[in-house]
Amino acid sequence: MNWEQLLSLKRFGDTNKRLRKEQDETRLGFEVDYDRIIFSSEFRSLQDKTQVIPLSQTDFVHTRLTHSLEVSVVGRTLGRLAGKQLIEKYPHLQNIHGYQPNDFGAIVAAAALAHDIGNPPFGHSGEKAIGEFFKTGAGKTFQSELTDKEYQDLCDFEGNANGFKILTESRIGREGGLRLSYSTLGAFTKYPKESLPKKPTKHIADKKYGFFQADKTAFEDVASELGLITRRTDDNISYARHPLTFLIEAADDICYTIIDFEDGINLGLIQEEFALEYLIKLVRDNIQTNKYYQLSTTQDRISYLRALAINTLINEAVSVFIENEEAILNDTFQTALLDKSKYEAQITDIINISIKNVYQSKEVLEKEIMGYRVINTLLETYVSAVNNAHNGTASNYDTLILNTLSESINIQEDLIYKRLLNVCNYVASLSDSRAILIYKKIKGMAF
């Protein structure tokens, strides 16, 4: 792969390429991507979607929206620092094509901003709840009507693939989706493969999948424009990652490792003294002892250590990226950047504490259980109504249910796969509170 092709400013839906030297420096195309994402309704809904602590009543716990903004900020810095060194290594990118170090930051910031845009309500348990509906619930009855890959799309419903659909799916008045640059779309896709085969290798890009069967052609177009290395076998489509994807992944890893840990401390789920011990191990080379001991509150002490920890891991991730840049371009680098970090042991310790004390806390588990019930009820109700309408057997109740669906949801699809996927997309688009409200109305609990 080569950077000239990977830094494509061409917009999804365009027929002509766009040259960097012809860009308006006051509003660069990659920066327009950021604007389009942040003003989208799908991004706004993240303000009421669970990050870790579902439906928390406290002010300082993160939602998907605050998490996405923070990942974007970290990603921008990662991109700029890496971009500066890449421009020095490949001066023709600037001298001939006009690219600047901040271009890399703009791409990473935009893709990082959107990295959770396809996630359903109730955190990762929302994805699992949708999958369970088709694996073991009422949705299993559709297996015989679907191809293996279509069925797997639903059984392993993936927020990353749903995000790609949101960013690229055309509808009346919105051809080409949000019409983002190919570079941002490529960098956004952490797992550039189909849902089958599952985990064919130990390569980090094969961990999950990145696009539904319905969007396969769209991703092939993106991969072709960017010159992503083809890794397909037989009829199975798979590509190498866009190199900047590694920086987006690092930004996400840094934020959830440190900030989820911080949330756990602020909620009292992790003891401050215990937590400080682990954070100080990560920042011992940078901490200003005098300043630290002047801080009088837990929140201030944790905030100070959090800032140092994030800065430490940003510099470490960029270092690993640059050291392995050629291997990344050749698709021979197979792990996340922080897996090669000298701080891997400290990161692992922090994540393990978060898993035990935060992710598996009683509050989180109880709300995840509720999420399963809510999502299962919504899917049962909407899938039944949509299919009954298609078969001409809709009841008055089905008609009422269908009238509550967004007009942007196409329920007239002839293919059962697309009808089921559209229902899943709709349920995934709901905020936590909106999903609960609809559930209560369906159950006759709210008037």
Side-chain angles (χ1 to χ4, degrees):
M1 295 181 286
N2 64 81
W3 286 109
E4 296 94 317
Q5 199 168 355
L6 290 165
L7 299 174
S8 173
L9 279 154
K10 181 180 177 182
R11 294 204 166 280
F12 193 72
D14 278 356
T15 54
N16 299 318
K17 292 184 180 295
R18 300 184 184 215
L19 302 179
R20 176 61 179 87
K21 284 194 170 182
E22 296 176 356
Q23 287 284 298
D24 179 354
E25 291 295 336
T26 63
R27 197 159 186 260
L28 185 66
F30 300 135
E31 294 168 344
V32 172
D33 290 345
Y34 188 96
D35 299 347
R36 291 182 174 184
I37 292 164
I38 208 164
F39 282 107
S40 68
S41 60
E42 291 88 353
F43 182 78
R44 270 199 312 279
S45 73
L46 298 180
Q47 67 185 307
D48 187 25
K49 283 190 177 182
T50 294
Q51 172 59 17
V52 176
I53 309 297
L55 306 171
S56 176
Q57 301 302 307
T58 58
D59 292 333
F60 49 75
V61 170
H62 291 77
T63 65
R64 287 282 180 194
L65 185 137
T66 51
H67 169 72
S68 296
L69 290 169
E70 289 167 345
V71 172
S72 181
V73 169
V74 172
R76 180 185 291 112
T77 301
L78 285 165
R80 286 179 174 179
L81 291 173
K84 182 176 184 294
Q85 295 188 56
L86 290 171
I87 291 292
E88 291 172 356
K89 182 176 181 179
Y90 305 108
H92 70 281
L93 290 175
Q94 186 175 55
N95 299 336
I96 296 176
H97 300 288
Y99 291 106
Q100 304 295 328
N102 284 3
D103 293 356
F104 295 83
I107 295 168
V108 176
L113 186 71
H115 83 281
D116 273 349
I117 203 167
N119 282 40
F122 309 111
H124 289 296
S125 65
E127 290 175 313
K128 294 175 184 176
I130 293 174
E132 290 293 333
F133 176 79
F134 292 99
K135 283 181 189 175
T136 59
K140 186 173 176 59
T141 59
F142 300 108
Q143 181 176 3
S144 62
E145 301 178 63
L146 305 169
T147 68
D148 289 344
K149 289 179 181 178
E150 288 172 346
Y151 185 56
Q152 198 64 45
D153 282 357
L154 301 173
C155 288
D156 283 336
F157 186 83
E158 177 56 52
N160 290 287
N162 195 45
F164 183 79
K165 172 177 281 296
I166 288 168
L167 299 179
T168 60
E169 188 171 49
S170 295
R171 59 178 187 254
I172 296 174
R174 202 171 97 163
E175 288 73 19
L178 296 186
R179 296 196 71 244
L180 305 182
S181 70
Y182 279 75
S183 291
T184 295
L185 291 172
F188 167 85
T189 308
K190 289 173 67 175
Y191 310 107
K193 66 177 289 292
E194 301 175 281
S195 56
L196 287 177
K198 291 184 66 171
K199 299 183 180 179
T201 73
K202 293 183 179 180
H203 195 298
I204 189 68
D206 287 334
K207 183 179 177 181
K208 299 179 183 179
Y209 71 98
F211 51 88
F212 298 122
Q213 289 299 295
D215 307 306
K216 180 166 59 175
T217 301
F219 187 77
E220 287 183 297
D221 178 35
V222 172
S224 175
E225 168 66 20
L226 298 173
L228 302 185
I229 294 173
T230 303
R231 304 170 64 215
R232 74 172 68 212
T233 56
D234 300 324
D235 294 327
N236 299 317
I237 295 174
S238 178
Y239 293 91
R241 276 180 166 182
H242 190 296
L244 296 182
T245 305
F246 285 93
L247 295 179
I248 295 160
E249 180 177 61
D252 190 22
D253 290 347
I254 289 169
C255 287
Y256 85 72
T257 298
I258 303 302
I259 296 175
D260 288 357
F261 192 61
E262 179 184 19
D263 279 353
I265 298 165
N266 287 329
L267 283 169
L269 298 173
I270 300 172
Q271 292 181 353
E272 180 187 359
E273 295 76 14
F274 193 53
L276 295 178
E277 175 187 344
Y278 282 87
L279 284 176
I280 288 173
K281 286 180 182 178
L282 196 59
V283 303
R284 63 164 63 96
D285 295 334
N286 301 313
I287 191 169
Q288 297 179 29
T289 308
N290 291 338
K291 180 177 180 178
Y292 177 74
Y293 285 115
Q294 288 175 1
L295 301 173
S296 59
T297 69
T298 298
Q299 246 178 306
D300 287 343
R301 287 190 290 273
I302 296 302
S303 293
Y304 175 65
L305 294 178
R306 178 245 298 147
L308 288 180
I310 288 176
N311 185 61
T312 297
L313 294 179
I314 284 174
N315 290 324
E316 177 70 4
V318 171
S319 176
V320 175
F321 180 82
I322 295 299
E323 287 173 9
N324 295 279
E325 181 251 348
E326 291 182 16
I328 289 171
L329 285 174
N330 295 326
D331 192 36
T332 56
F333 186 82
Q334 301 191 358
T335 68
L337 295 177
L338 293 183
D339 288 345
K340 295 292 186 180
S341 166
K342 64 184 178 183
Y343 301 106
E344 183 185 7
Q346 291 92 330
I347 293 169
T348 299
D349 286 341
I350 289 172
I351 290 174
N352 286 340
I353 294 172
S354 293
I355 289 172
K356 179 181 178 181
N357 292 52
V358 182
Y359 304 152
Q360 295 177 354
S361 67
K362 183 178 180 181
E363 180 182 7
V364 170
L365 295 178
E366 286 176 348
K367 296 297 172 61
E368 286 187 351
I369 290 169
M370 180 176 66
Y372 266 89
R373 175 61 63 87
V374 169
I375 286 178
N376 186 72
T377 298
L378 297 185
L379 287 174
E380 279 190 353
T381 304
Y382 284 118
V383 165
S384 176
V386 166
N387 285 326
N388 286 345
H390 180 267
N391 298 329
T393 59
S395 64
N396 289 332
Y397 178 73
D398 290 331
T399 301
L400 290 171
I401 289 294
L402 294 177
N403 286 337
T404 68
L405 281 172
S406 168
E407 293 181 1
S408 63
I409 305 298
N410 185 358
I411 61 174
Q412 304 300 327
E413 290 282 2
D414 289 332
L415 296 176
I416 181 66
Y417 165 68
K418 289 191 174 181
R419 292 201 301 275
L420 294 173
L421 187 59
N422 285 346
V423 171
C424 292
N425 298 149
Y426 173 69
V427 171
S429 75
L430 300 173
S431 66
D432 291 15
S433 297
R434 179 65 178 164
I436 290 172
L437 179 61
I438 295 174
Y439 168 81
K440 288 181 176 179
K441 288 183 177 179
I442 288 172
K443 291 292 188 178
M445 298 163 60
F447 296 96

